[in-house]
Amino acid sequence: MASPAPRTASIHRATTETDIRVDVDLDGSGTYDNDTGIGFLDHMLDLFAKHGGIDLEVRCDGDLQIDDHHTVEDVGITLGSAIREALGDKKHIARYGHAYVPMDETLARAVVDLSGRFYLHADVDFSRPTVGDLSTEMVRHFWYSVAEHLRCNLHVAVLYGTNGHHKVEAMFKSVARALRMAINRSDSHPEIASTKGTI
């Protein structure tokens, strides 16, 4: 495969609720610079970039005086859109990826198919309403927004665990590592990994 095109994207999304810019480089080294106004979400985006091998910069000015819903949802929408744009024609990618990630007493599993079709299965329960300044009910919704706009099948589950911080972190790391496998581009992969000729 000669001189593959760079897989980068820059997406700006502005509404009356949020103003977001996301820059991604799928062939980066895992550098990050994220500021959403939600400290725990920034931490999760940082480790998503590091474990996904994706250079990621996120800037969000959101209506946090209301709550964290719009910011978390819209960051997920914009991140999913940016990754989808950066993937381009999806030639020579593995398409599928999976990962198990332990975090002390917690174990999470993520499986992804960059199929062009949206489906999310997210299996996690929390015993407290927040982790840091992030509402735990928004964790599943974040992945819903990412998967919907990336147009992928995403199955992520916390198989067991007790600590809320560990559960969220293991989810983000497992999705990052599954995505890293799925976006891997190599001559050993079919030009398009589908008998339909498109994904």
Side-chain angles (χ1 to χ4, degrees):
M1 185 169 50
S3 302
R7 297 188 295 175
T8 61
S10 181
I11 300 287
H12 178 227
R13 184 178 192 274
T15 71
T16 58
E17 299 166 342
T18 60
D19 191 327
I20 301 173
R21 184 179 185 89
V22 173
D23 296 287
V24 297
D25 181 350
L26 301 186
D27 302 303
S29 58
T31 63
Y32 50 83
D33 186 5
N34 300 305
D35 184 1
T36 65
I38 303 172
F40 193 78
L41 180 59
D42 293 344
H43 178 44
M44 293 301 101
L45 292 171
D46 292 350
L47 60 84
F48 176 79
K50 175 61 74 174
H51 288 269
I54 296 169
D55 291 349
L56 176 64
E57 183 174 343
V58 178
R59 290 289 181 274
C60 178
D61 181 14
D63 56 1
L64 293 175
Q65 75 279 4
I66 296 174
D67 67 7
D68 61 348
H69 184 104
H70 298 142
T71 292
V72 176
E73 177 180 58
D74 290 1
V75 167
I77 288 171
T78 314
L79 177 60
S81 299
I83 295 172
R84 186 182 80 244
E85 181 175 308
L87 279 168
D89 59 16
K90 300 182 186 175
K91 289 184 178 179
H92 300 287
I93 65 166
R95 176 179 168 177
Y96 299 99
H98 63 274
Y100 285 83
V101 170
M103 182 79 181
D104 295 347
E105 86 298 342
T106 296
L107 181 66
R109 177 189 63 216
V111 184
V112 65
D113 174 12
L114 298 174
S115 61
R117 300 183 307 275
F118 161 59
Y119 188 84
L120 173 73
H121 176 83
D123 187 2
V124 60
D125 293 310
F126 295 101
S127 60
R128 53 175 163 150
T130 61
V131 179
D133 52 353
L134 176 67
S135 300
T136 51
E137 70 176 4
M138 291 306 299
V139 174
R140 183 187 186 280
H141 195 63
F142 175 83
W143 291 119
Y144 185 99
S145 298
V146 171
E148 181 183 23
H149 290 270
L150 176 50
R151 296 179 191 162
C152 72
N153 286 187
L154 176 60
H155 296 250
V156 56
V158 173
L159 303 178
Y160 47 81
T162 56
N163 183 280
H165 184 131
H166 292 168
K167 290 179 180 182
V168 181
E169 185 160 337
M171 289 178 78
F172 271 76
K173 287 178 177 177
S174 63
V175 174
R177 289 187 168 270
L179 184 62
R180 183 174 184 171
M181 180 185 294
I183 67 175
N184 180 53
R185 187 167 53 179
S186 169
D187 277 329
S188 65
H189 302 312
E191 184 168 323
I192 295 288
S194 171
T195 55
K196 294 184 295 186
T198 183
I199 52 176

